């Protein structure tokens, strides 16, 4: 690596079991006197608990977060923010919740304090997405990146084993693509390799014992490192395929990453030897079995391995291949439509790469 630009935009990270108890102090650091807590209806009790921790700083709790951040929900929340003179957003939940807070910030400029409860990683990035009329628009805007992130592994204990596994592999996908990113740097490479190592070591334990705090701590640390590199460097073919399958075919976000990652890795292996060497070290496997070893993490622990299992129809492969070819983007291995079609066919069938 002879040329790179290292320009991190760090957030304050407060990490450790029980540290959600410091939410009020962290809100004070950001000058939050009138906070809006954002979450989903299924995480109502956690949102209320955080509201109580904030005391009279909590003005309102909004439980309207939904997958893909529908624009109308953002509009309603922005009205609340303006009517209630909110000065700080507290996002408590997964990528959908943090996505809603980012949507509000795009319009209001308010700072965000994020309390993530999945491994998805949105809390570490300046990437936003909003859906209008079934179409998701995404972009990068430094203002939407949370100023402070509280990673409390105790909040993951309630995340079901199946969702923990797919969400953890979603996190791993950020680190895998960071290892062959066009704009990688020495720090992003270290963080990405360590992210994969922590996730691969911890996820099997999490699936067996979702309440094991050591395993939750290890995997949350891996997810943080992986999310940080997602913010720092560009992603490639794997992410493009997953956005196509999620955005145009409605496949579930984390499960789609879980299925596609082994096939994207296998496809890129011949053109990313340094990345494969790093992955072999992190996964403790032979360098020619990286893709299969990633799939084994899902297969051996009850996770999905084929697009067929996710309800994707084989007859849609051609349309998906066409969509994935729109807007050219960097990938270590050049590809044709035939390559993408063949990759999707293998992912549909789920045969170990
Ligand atoms: P999610 O936020 O939709 O959460 C899934 C479900 O799990 C929700 O019902 C939620 O309430 C529930 N849940 C979350 N944490 C829980 C917990 N600890 N215990 C019990 N239930 C819990 O799913 P996600 O996978 O976290 O996020 C996916 C979304 O995030 C996608 O839309 C994706 O595009 C986006 N995303 C964005 C970025 C970014 O940088 N902008 C990064 C990664 C993902």
């Amino acid at each position: 690596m002879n040329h790179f630009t290292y320009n991190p935009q760090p957030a304050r990270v407060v990490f450790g079991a029980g540290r959600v108890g410091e939410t009020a102090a962290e809100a004070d650091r950001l000058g939050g006197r009138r906070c809006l807590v954002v979450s989903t209806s299924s995480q109502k009790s956690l949102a209320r608990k955080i509201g109580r921790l904030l005391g009279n700083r909590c003005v309102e709790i909004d439980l309207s977060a939904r997958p893909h951040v529908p624009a109308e929900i953002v509009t309603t929340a922005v009205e609340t923010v303006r009517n209630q003179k909110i000065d700080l957003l507290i996002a408590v939940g997964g990528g959908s919740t943090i996505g809603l807070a980012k949507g509000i910030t795009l319009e209001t400029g308010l700072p965000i304090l994020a309390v993530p409860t999945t491994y998805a990683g949105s809390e570490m990035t300046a990437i936003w997405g909003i859906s209008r009329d079934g179409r998701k628009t995404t972009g990068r805007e430094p203002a939407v990146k949370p100023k402070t992130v509280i990673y409390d592994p105790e909040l993951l204990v309630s995340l079901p084993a199946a969702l923990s596994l797919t969400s953890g592999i979603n996190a791993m996908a950020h680190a895998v693509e960071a290892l062959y990113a066009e704009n990688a740097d020495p720090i992003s490479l270290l963080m990405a390799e360590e992210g994969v190592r922590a996730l691969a070591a911890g996820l099997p334990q999490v699936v067996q014992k979702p309440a094991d705090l050591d395993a939750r701590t290890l995997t949350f640390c891996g997810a943080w490192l992986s999310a940080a590199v997602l913010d720092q460097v560009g992603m490639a073919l794997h992410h493009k395929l997953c956005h196509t399958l999620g955005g145009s075919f409605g496949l579930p976000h984390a499960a789609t990453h879980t299925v596609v990652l082994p096939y994207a890795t296998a496809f890129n292996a011949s053109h990313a030897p340094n990345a494969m060497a790093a992955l072999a070290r992190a996964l403790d496997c032979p360098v020619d079995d990286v893709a299969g070893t990633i799939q084994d993490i899902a297969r051996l622990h009850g996770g999905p391995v084929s697009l067929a299992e996710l309800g994707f129809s084989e007859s849609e492969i051609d349309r998906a291949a066409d969509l994935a070819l729109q807007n050219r983007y960097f990938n270590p291995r050049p590809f044709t439509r035939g390559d993408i079609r063949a990759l999707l066919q293998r992912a549909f069938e789920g045969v170990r790469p």
Side-chain angles (χ1 to χ4, degrees), residues 134-151:
R135 277 203 58 186
K136 193 162 177 179
T137 311
T138 60
R140 275 185 191 257
E141 165 53 52
V144 308
K145 182 167 163 168
K147 302 281 182 273
T148 300
V149 181
I150 300 179
Y151 282 107

Side-chain angles (χ1 to χ4, degrees), residues 23-37 51 54-60 84-90 110-111 113:
T23 305
E26 292 302 326
D28 286 344
R29 277 184 68 97
L30 294 172
R33 289 187 180 79
R34 298 185 58 78
C35 302
L36 175 68
V37 175
L54 287 164
N56 60 11
R57 300 172 194 81
C58 179
V59 172
E60 199 157 325
Q84 297 283 9
K85 303 197 169 17
I86 298 296
D87 57 15
L88 178 64
L89 304 171
I90 316 258
L110 283 182
L113 188 167

Side-chain angles (χ1 to χ4, degrees), residues 58 73 78 101 104 157 161 179 210 216 219 317 335 342:
C58 179
I73 291 176
V78 166
I104 301 170
V157 165
L179 285 168
R216 289 296 189 179
T219 46
I317 290 177
F335 52 82

Side-chain angles (χ1 to χ4, degrees), residues 132-175:
R132 246 183 218 95
D133 305 324
R135 277 203 58 186
K136 193 162 177 179
T137 311
T138 60
R140 275 185 191 257
E141 165 53 52
V144 308
K145 182 167 163 168
K147 302 281 182 273
T148 300
V149 181
I150 300 179
Y151 282 107
D152 186 336
E154 285 180 1
L155 303 183
L156 289 179
V157 165
S158 57
L159 191 67
L163 189 51
S164 298
L165 180 64
T166 54
S167 182
I169 297 174
N170 177 192
M172 189 183 289
H174 311 323

